[in-house]
Amino acid sequence: MQFLEQEILEITEATWQAMLGLDIQPRVLPASLDTGAGYLTGRVEISGAWNGVVLLHGSIQLAQAAASVIFSNSNGAVTEQDQMDAMYELTNIIGGNIKSLLPEPCQLSLPCVYGTTPEILEVPGAEQVSELVFDCQEQPLFVSVWKRVDP
């Protein structure tokens, strides 16, 4: 799975630095994808000349840290809605930057953010073409791209 891997790595690192000022590093060893409570998944669809899905998957602690920076709150003042909104914004920005690398014309849907379940991490009718894992504040962040195989 090498689809736009270097570009996705650069997009994610640049987004984290510009928006959050948080250090994020590619993870050398794969992390296990946890689907239990305490994780959020952002999802955005790309349609047009290329059809697929971008997923951003991370822990509540990671969403809390992002929300704290985005909304200028201390961790204690961050609400569940703030965490969802932060994941929404990050999914939209990363998905939009990935879309800009794809053949035109393509459109980006509005992102959706869910509490993570195994079903949320599945993309029926699509194959995973890229997955990167990052570490931020000792929490894993997964960025995956899925290409639709069904028309």
Side-chain angles (χ1 to χ4, degrees):
M1 291 187 298
Q2 302 257 337
F3 180 80
L4 299 176
E5 199 164 282
Q6 184 61 37
E7 292 86 347
I8 295 168
L9 177 112
E10 292 169 5
I11 287 167
T12 304
E13 288 177 334
T15 300
W16 236 252
Q17 285 297 321
M19 279 197 68
L20 306 175
L22 297 175
D23 187 37
I24 188 167
Q25 297 293 321
R27 192 175 189 129
V28 178
L29 298 173
S32 61
L33 193 61
D34 194 337
T35 59
Y39 284 81
L40 294 175
T41 299
R43 177 185 177 123
V44 67
E45 304 266 343
I46 299 171
S47 60
W50 190 94
N51 293 292
V53 175
V54 176
L55 296 178
L56 216 64
H57 173 73
S59 69
I60 295 285
Q61 292 90 346
L62 188 58
Q64 186 175 39
S68 179
V69 173
I70 291 171
F71 302 114
S72 301
N73 293 330
S74 66
N75 276 349
V78 171
T79 67
E80 187 176 322
Q81 186 62 52
D82 291 340
Q83 295 166 19
M84 301 281 280
D85 290 348
M87 187 64 89
Y88 178 97
E89 287 300 323
L90 292 165
T91 302
N92 192 48
I93 291 167
I94 291 172
N97 278 289
I98 291 170
K99 178 195 103 39
S100 73
L101 302 172
L102 299 171
E104 289 295 330
C106 280
Q107 296 79 40
L108 190 70
S109 73
L110 291 174
C112 295
V113 177
Y114 307 93
T116 303
T117 65
E119 296 79 25
I120 295 299
L121 296 173
E122 294 175 9
V123 184
E127 64 180 355
Q128 188 176 24
V129 294
S130 185
E131 180 178 49
L132 288 110
V133 184
F134 298 87
D135 273 324
C136 181
Q137 297 192 336
E138 300 180 14
Q139 297 290 318
L141 173 73
F142 296 82
V143 179
S144 61
V145 178
W146 299 73
K147 183 177 183 183
R148 296 249 181 239
V149 291
D150 294 338

